[in-house]
Amino acid sequence: MELGLTIPLQRRLGLGTLPYGVSPDRRYCWDLHVIPLGGRPSLLAVHCESRYTFVLYDLAPSALAELPALFQEGLRGSLEAAGISSEKVEGYLRRAGQAGYTRTHGRREVAFLNRAWEDVTALDYTMDTPGASRCWTGR
């Protein structure tokens, strides 16, 4: 699985320049960005093929240290909340393989990532922050 990190996220993680992705199969490619949501750092994840989007809200500063595990936890929760069985989710993760970091997956994908960010922040006033779950799902 390729996790394409935006430049601000790369900097936040203290990473140097990342390689380009090599997978021709976009089913296993995601682009990730950290955004402020309700004044709290949140992880925005966009699937490169379908544009399926989810957000992990209110991340602890140390949460990004284990980004692949954090992402997979969020993906599991998001897909299961969308009604996909845990067996199908685990099958997808198995087929996707170990997560590795790459650059984001192209201009179109980054444009959609920016659009998703605009959509999410436009709706952040609707969040019930005291009772908010850590995951928001949209498409």
Side-chain angles (χ1 to χ4, degrees):
M1 177 181 302
E2 292 182 356
L3 302 179
L5 309 183
T6 61
I7 291 171
L9 181 52
Q10 290 174 40
R11 287 184 186 137
R12 189 168 189 155
L13 294 172
L15 301 174
T17 303
L18 294 174
Y20 288 101
V22 296
S23 176
D25 191 346
R26 294 285 201 231
R27 289 180 297 174
Y28 305 113
C29 299
W30 292 79
D31 283 338
L32 309 179
H33 187 46
V34 173
I35 63 170
L37 185 58
R40 299 194 170 124
S42 303
L43 182 70
L44 175 65
V46 177
H47 187 244
C48 292
E49 183 176 82
S50 69
R51 307 296 195 245
Y52 179 85
T53 302
F54 71 92
V55 175
L56 293 179
Y57 172 72
D58 194 20
L59 298 175
S62 62
L64 292 177
E66 298 295 328
L67 184 58
L70 175 70
F71 165 78
Q72 288 182 353
E73 170 193 334
L75 181 59
R76 277 184 186 97
S78 173
L79 292 175
E80 289 175 8
I84 298 172
S85 72
S86 59
E87 293 81 21
K88 286 185 179 181
V89 172
E90 292 307 317
Y92 171 80
L93 291 172
R94 230 181 354 270
R95 287 187 305 279
Q98 185 175 358
Y101 297 149
T102 68
R103 294 181 183 194
T104 52
H105 290 88
R107 288 183 179 158
R108 291 181 62 210
E109 287 80 358
V110 171
F112 192 84
L113 186 70
N114 288 329
R115 175 62 194 270
W117 182 3
E118 290 172 9
D119 290 348
V120 169
T121 56
L123 296 173
D124 73 347
Y125 67 90
T126 64
M127 290 181 53
D128 175 16
T129 53
S133 72
R134 291 193 49 219
C135 192
W136 176 88
T137 301
R139 184 180 153 139

